[in-house]
Amino acid sequence: MTPTRRTSRPRGAVTALTALTAALALCVTAPATANTAGTGTPASGDDGARRGACATSHRPAHGPAHDVLRIAEQAKQELKLKSVILRVTVDGRELVTSALGESMTGVPADPAMHFRNGNIAISYLGTALLRLVDQGKVNLDDPVSRWLPDVPHGEGFTLRMLANSTTGLRDYVPDPGFQQAVTANPFRQWPPRELVAISTGQEPWYDPGTNWSYSHANFVLLGAALEKITHTRLDVLLEREVLGPIGLRETRNSFTPEIPEPALHAFTADRGTYEESTFWNPSWTTAPGAVETTDICDLARSAGAIGSGELLSKSSYQELLDPGTVGLGHPTDTCPATVCLAQTEQTHYGMGVIVLGDWISQHPLFFGYSASMAYLPSERMSIAVSTTQNPGSQDGHTAHTIVQRIAAALTPDHPIPDFG
């Protein structure tokens, strides 16, 4: 598979990685034992359950860690960001952790601050599903109707299709009525049945399994199916199967818009005026039980644990990276090219993760919050970034832009391509 292959490195890349190894030797005195719970490739080091509070690392005067901070500082200024929080690890060992800018006026950003992790939780859903496959409790090609008999046409698509986003279900998020409702009342609590009904009430983009398009409805349904399969509430299931085993201490679900303190505050101009959006309700973003907050240390740990397949068998790890999406994604008379995106070996969707060249990634976006995690298996490198906006900030996935720039500097022969 593309994400796990090793390629020959130009001389500059060898020099950069040699310097990186030397820097890590100075940063870490006693690495912890690798977690080998699964049969995938473990992301070893001291990044797991035994770490202390997430905190800023010593600022180096030179070397790779200094380069990362310089990139972040330049990007914060160029993109007009309010805050940038970041962490880079190699083999689980910290290279650099830092926070730039403010959470809110006069309150400095801090690595220990919690923020919304959005579709990072989708990677946990995919991994939880594959763990159930490894345990012999479910088959990826089971029809959804077996578990959710009331879903319209659920006999026509499978658990695999929910997780890899090939059901053909339309996404409710771009729906004009939905957008107007969210804009009018961003504090509204959205019931999952109402969200799914927006998608299933429209003609699908294509026959299930024949194309690819992203739909939030897929993951609302996947969460509900996982609950039915295991007879366990989703937040409890994810803690048991994913969050607990990889040692995420600051990642948790909430059934309300609450963010645990210390909270990274967010601001947006999405409604035409720059305003605080910290406690806008994220209930529509994914399945109840997977609407989570996290901190930057847990985000970096997630990148390594999910991206390495630490909790999965070898066969399930391969499913995580390519569950049949490569080669799909093409415009049709009913599905435009902006929706049915091409899935290539170089850039494609997996089981709740995105394969971008040699990296495994996810990058959520929610009303003033942007975050990104990326993992490079060949070097066991994790990059995690969270950003918030100032008035006039550049829109879009600014955290992912910074991740791409850090990757280009640290591993120049492994750039992170754009998706779609």
Side-chain angles (χ1 to χ4, degrees), residues 29-290:
T29 56
T33 303
N35 184 345
T36 55
T39 54
T41 305
S44 61
D46 60 355
D47 222 12
R50 291 195 284 173
R51 69 168 171 81
C54 196
T56 300
S57 58
H58 174 72
R59 184 181 179 98
H62 52 78
H66 179 268
D67 293 342
V68 169
L69 291 176
R70 177 180 51 79
I71 290 166
E73 288 163 351
Q74 290 177 347
K76 179 180 178 297
Q77 181 176 6
E78 175 192 336
L79 304 177
K80 301 180 181 178
L81 299 172
K82 190 173 192 67
S83 71
V84 177
I85 304 178
L86 63 90
R87 181 172 171 88
V88 179
T89 66
V90 179
D91 206 17
R93 300 176 178 88
E94 177 188 71
L95 174 65
V96 62
T97 304
S98 189
L100 312 174
E102 294 182 323
S103 170
M104 52 185 172
T105 304
V107 179
D110 187 274
M113 287 180 168
H114 301 97
F115 50 88
R116 303 207 183 279
N117 70 350
N119 62 16
I120 300 298
I122 290 173
S123 71
Y124 306 150
L125 291 174
T127 291
L129 173 62
L130 290 167
R131 278 176 65 81
L132 296 179
V133 171
D134 284 341
Q135 295 162 15
K137 296 179 180 178
V138 73
N139 190 299
L140 288 178
D141 296 316
D142 285 342
V144 171
S145 58
R146 176 177 177 183
W147 310 106
L148 303 174
D150 295 333
V151 174
H153 312 296
E155 72 283 355
F157 50 88
T158 65
L159 295 173
R160 180 196 303 274
M161 294 173 190
L162 288 179
N164 69 14
S165 217
T166 59
T167 62
L169 290 176
R170 297 199 179 217
D171 190 2
Y172 55 79
V173 170
D175 180 84
F178 174 80
Q179 291 192 346
Q180 290 170 12
V182 171
T183 300
N185 182 9
F187 300 101
R188 176 179 174 181
Q189 183 79 16
W190 287 85
R193 284 184 176 273
E194 187 173 347
L195 296 170
V196 171
I198 298 172
S199 294
T200 58
Q202 305 176 67
E203 285 295 315
W205 286 118
Y206 48 82
D207 291 336
T210 64
N211 211 331
W212 184 93
S213 58
Y214 189 86
S215 175
H216 287 74
N218 290 328
F219 300 101
V220 175
L221 289 172
L222 179 58
L226 289 174
E227 289 189 330
K228 288 295 184 70
I229 293 164
T230 61
H231 306 286
T232 305
R233 205 174 69 183
L234 184 60
D235 59 320
V236 176
L237 174 67
L238 292 179
E239 175 66 30
R240 184 184 75 202
E241 295 294 337
V242 182
L243 309 187
I246 64 176
L248 301 188
R249 302 192 314 186
E250 299 298 329
T251 302
R252 65 201 66 171
N253 167 76
S254 178
F255 293 106
T256 75
E258 178 188 13
I259 298 179
E261 291 292 338
L264 178 67
H265 286 243
F267 304 82
T268 184
D270 283 339
R271 299 202 302 171
T273 184
Y274 184 70
E275 59 186 330
E276 181 164 7
S277 55
T278 307
F279 301 108
W280 286 9
N281 198 326
S283 58
W284 53 267
T285 55
T286 192

Side-chain angles (χ1 to χ4, degrees), residues 1-5 41 120 123 127 299-300 302-309 317-318 320-322 346 348-363 372-384 400 403 414-417:
M1 283 294 298
T2 300
T4 56
R5 73 175 186 269
T41 305
I120 300 298
S123 71
T127 291
L299 189 62
S302 294
I306 301 298
S308 69
Y317 182 50
Q318 291 304 312
L320 178 82
L321 300 185
D322 179 19
Q346 181 73 357
H348 62 271
Y349 207 80
M351 287 275 189
V353 299
I354 309 172
V355 175
L356 299 176
D358 295 333
W359 297 77
I360 296 99
S361 177
Q362 260 298 1
H363 40 273
S372 179
M373 71 175 191
Y375 180 70
L376 179 61
S378 63
E379 307 301 335
R380 296 189 176 186
M381 178 181 291
S382 298
I383 306 174
H400 189 63
V403 167
H414 298 284
I416 302 179

